Amino acid sequence: MQDKISRDRIISLINKEVVPAIGCTEPMAVALATARATEALGSRPAKITALLSANILKNAMGVGIPGTGMIGLPIAIALGALIGKSEYQLEVLRDLTPQTLEEGKQYIAEKRIDIKLKEDITEKLYVEIICNDEEGRESKAIISGGHTHFVFVSSPSATLLDLKSGTTSNTEEDDIQLCMRMVYDFATTAPLDEISFILKTKEYNMNAARKAILGNYGHNLGKTIDRPLAQGIFGKSIFSHIIARTASACDARMGGALIPVMSNSGSGNQGICATNPVAVYAKENENTEEELIRALTLSHLTAIYIKQSLGKLSALCGCVVASIGSSCGITYLMGGDYQRICNSVKNMIANLTGMICDGAKPSCALKISSGVSTAILSALLSMEGKCVSSAEGIIDDDVDRSIHNLTSIGADAMRNTDDMVLNIMTHKGQC
């Protein structure tokens, strides 16, 4: 068992990265910054300018905004100014009502919002909101490095926060740096009372799956898998139940349902993908609650570990990361030891590396289903003693080096891919 100081630091990291969110976290981060800038201004803005990194723009263009029936950034920004409360963090728009939605639509119609690409920055997660009142007084809020990490806030009369040139205890550098052995040892040996809070992820994300069945969200992938035609193909199996429950939660979230989920590393889809496959398998396999707690901890912490070197936003689809976590959790529930869990990681990396992120949108449910399918297959292969060898592709004998091979491709080698994806998304229909 790890020492208490190390365990406390890991628990702190999990609590920082696994948090509730309503809707896609990129437009919610923009709404959050807008809410904070509006609070600093002290009145309803007459004009709002949003300067955003390319990855924020990419992930916010085609996704539903919860409770609005609308997609994209304008309504997120308008509601952030009109009803947003920064204290709510990524649930910033939870006070939405039909009346305030109409006010938001009117605010957009008045052309008070200007959205631009922030030039000459290297940070992939960057949101800068500038608010002006009727007299021209200005306030500003900047989020950078994390979806709720404010680095600058100013009112018309004073600078309220400035971390742009300094450091803070909330920086990534202060987080404990993980490795696969540390992740496994923590998840499997930490006192149960210290990690049982992870069951909240099941409560939130399985609830999202249940509520999704009551509506028609996105492409209805989860409901489609539950229908007779799909059951004739997949059967009523653990496999089909895992895919359906995971895809349903994603359908609802990407379709704009006002349903909170527990996110992982700034992504609700990653939180869903790290949670629901593990929760469904544990139920169907009749695992104990302790086994479920440890499997969920292993899944979420594996995803957090991979994101430490990949970054919050990248050209690599987040379901790749979260599916690796869920494969580890499922392997553990199958009775797998450390070596078999490492083999599952390698099997995953050998398959899913290179899946691009082309923004948050309803079809993310398809990508999540691909990731979860691979997670189950990788776990099964591992339990049969099968593992992709270091003679194949980017896999190394060492599991941590294999993970860093994956993240170096996603964070560095795919930069040009990211630029091309955004260029295609912003020039559709043009000759």
Side-chain angles (χ1 to χ4, degrees), residues 327 330-331 334 344 347 374-384:
S327 188
I330 290 170
T331 304
M334 289 177 173
S344 292
N347 291 340
T374 304
I376 300 166
L377 180 60
S378 296
L380 286 169
L381 279 175
S382 174
M383 293 303 293
E384 290 292 322

Side-chain angles (χ1 to χ4, degrees), residues 73-271:
L73 284 165
I75 190 62
I77 292 171
L79 294 175
L82 298 177
I83 64 157
K85 290 184 174 64
S86 63
E87 66 193 76
Y88 291 170
Q89 298 285 283
L90 293 178
E91 296 180 285
V92 59
L93 301 184
R94 72 185 189 199
D95 289 342
L96 179 66
T97 66
Q99 179 182 345
T100 52
L101 174 58
E102 292 307 311
E103 291 177 19
K105 292 177 180 178
Q106 180 60 34
Y107 196 89
I108 295 171
E110 293 168 358
K111 301 188 183 301
R112 298 180 181 274
I113 300 170
D114 188 15
I115 302 170
K116 300 178 181 178
L117 178 68
K118 177 71 174 181
E119 303 286 354
D120 301 322
I121 57 168
T122 57
E123 173 57 57
K124 292 182 177 293
L125 200 168
Y126 183 93
V127 178
E128 180 177 337
I129 300 293
I130 302 167
C131 293
N132 297 98
D133 64 14
E134 295 289 358
E135 286 73 44
R137 298 188 311 152
E138 180 178 294
S139 65
K140 181 184 294 188
I142 299 175
I143 287 175
S144 180
H147 291 78
T148 61
H149 185 218
F150 284 95
V151 297
F152 185 84
V153 180
S154 66
S155 71
S157 59
T159 296
L160 307 177
L161 173 72
D162 188 359
L163 304 176
K164 290 188 294 182
S165 58
T167 59
T168 171
S169 60
N170 197 31
T171 60
E172 305 297 328
E173 290 76 13
D174 291 323
D175 293 335
I176 188 169
Q177 296 302 298
L178 302 170
C179 67
M180 200 63 217
R181 184 83 227 190
M182 187 188 304
V183 168
Y184 175 82
D185 287 346
F186 175 83
T188 57
T189 67
L192 211 58
D193 64 326
E194 293 184 6
I195 59 173
S196 59
F197 68 88
I198 203 71
L199 286 174
K200 277 285 185 183
T201 63
K202 175 191 172 186
E203 179 185 327
Y204 272 73
N205 296 346
M206 289 299 289
N207 180 60
R210 285 189 293 271
K211 288 191 174 179
I213 300 298
L214 303 178
N216 290 305
Y217 299 107
H219 298 296
N220 278 324
L221 180 58
K223 292 177 75 170
T224 298
I225 294 169
D226 272 338
R227 287 172 179 156
L229 177 60
Q231 288 178 1
I233 297 170
F234 298 115
K236 292 185 177 181
S237 62
I238 297 176
F239 177 81
S240 65
H241 293 163
I242 287 174
I243 301 295
R245 297 294 87 76
T246 308
S248 291
C250 181
D251 284 333
R253 182 173 173 272
M254 293 290 94
L258 200 61
I259 302 170
V261 301
M262 198 68 81
S263 65
N264 181 298
S265 303
S267 167
N269 281 351
Q270 285 171 197

